[in-house]
Structure formats: C-alpha cells, structure tokens
Amino acid sequence: MEKPGRACRNPPSPRVMMAAAIGPPPETEQDTMQAMLMIWSDDKAWDAMPPAAQAEAMGAYRAYAAALAEAGVMRAGERLKPAAGAAIVTLRDGAPQVLDGPYAETREQLGGYFLIEVPDMETAIRWAARCPGAAHGRVEVREIWPSPPPA
C-alpha cells in the first residue's frame, strides 16, 4: 500500500514538470478551463507485465493523482476496464444497435482519464507530460466545451 506523502517513483525527466513549476490552482472559475487527459495504452502490454511491475505502475498513478489533488486541479479521474468488455451503441432507423467488445481492432485503447481544471492549455499539457501514461502509451489532452448555464 502506498504511504501518504511518498514521492512518485518515476525518475525526473526534462519533459516532466514538477508541481511547483506548474503553479498554484487558479483563483476564480473565470480564470480556468477544464481539460480531459485521456490515457491511451495497450491492454495486452499491461496483461503481459509481471505483477510487481503492475503494482509499481499503479503506485506511480496514485502518486500522480495525489500531486493533482495537492495542487488543487483534479476534478475527477478513473481507470477504465478493458475494451473487450465495452459496448458500442448506435441508432439505426430509430432502433438501438449494440456491438459488444471493442469497435475497432487497434492496439491502443482508452484506459483511463483525469479531468483537471487549470488556467490554460499549456498548463494542461504540462500536467499530461507528468502522467505515467505518457511513458508507456499516450495522453490526449482535450479542452472541455462548457455547457451554457441552465435557463
């Protein structure tokens, strides 16, 4: 079990920004944007990892989530179950059509996400660069398009 206050096991890298370099959370909602950090990875590569390596990787994700929370920018984040258990739903002539399992046979699948609130896209990208998923897959950063307030 991860000890509170324990540092991330990932070695420092020129691409990785530390929390102090990223800065404090924005002061007001008007000064922020929300971004979804989507983690794309190879499910089969994860399954092939020894249990000790999986535990180490999960520790790195816990440390990353703790850094997001400590900086006050994390709004949500979860790991997703493998794509083999997914369902794709479409409507054809008004009737739902369901396809079980992954829709496309691709190596990388959406494995999880973090929703963060930061001042700008540059800051979101810096946080994405710190995500452990960037080292073994890719992290897609997309700004949330805010919905208008209810009438």
Side-chain angles (χ1 to χ4, degrees):
M1 180 158 240
E2 196 74 16
K3 294 179 182 176
R6 188 170 180 167
C8 179
R9 294 181 186 182
N10 290 341
S13 155
R15 297 181 328 163
V16 177
M17 307 297 290
M18 294 298 120
I22 293 173
E27 295 297 320
T28 66
E29 287 186 33
Q30 293 79 19
D31 296 334
T32 67
M33 60 167 269
Q34 287 191 338
M36 174 97 37
L37 310 182
M38 294 173 279
I39 304 160
W40 295 87
S41 60
D42 183 349
D43 285 346
K44 291 180 178 136
W46 176 264
D47 293 340
M49 289 173 67
Q54 287 182 356
E56 185 174 340
M58 291 308 297
Y61 276 104
R62 283 190 297 277
Y64 177 69
L68 289 169
E70 186 175 313
V73 300
M74 184 166 166
R75 297 299 171 260
E78 292 293 341
R79 182 177 176 196
L80 300 175
K81 290 190 176 186
I88 306 297
V89 180
T90 58
L91 286 178
R92 296 286 182 256
D93 299 320
Q97 304 293 309
V98 179
L99 175 65
D100 292 329
Y103 182 70
E105 289 297 322
T106 61
R107 204 176 103 204
E108 289 185 329
Q109 302 291 330
L110 182 59
Y113 71 92
F114 289 96
L115 178 63
I116 62 174
E117 190 163 338
V118 293
D120 51 42
M121 183 61 105
E122 183 179 317
T123 305
I125 290 169
R126 288 195 307 258
W127 276 109
R130 288 187 65 189
C131 180
H136 63 78
R138 60 191 170 98
V139 179
E140 181 180 350
V141 182
R142 297 199 44 196
E143 185 174 356
I144 300 297
W145 199 327
S147 299

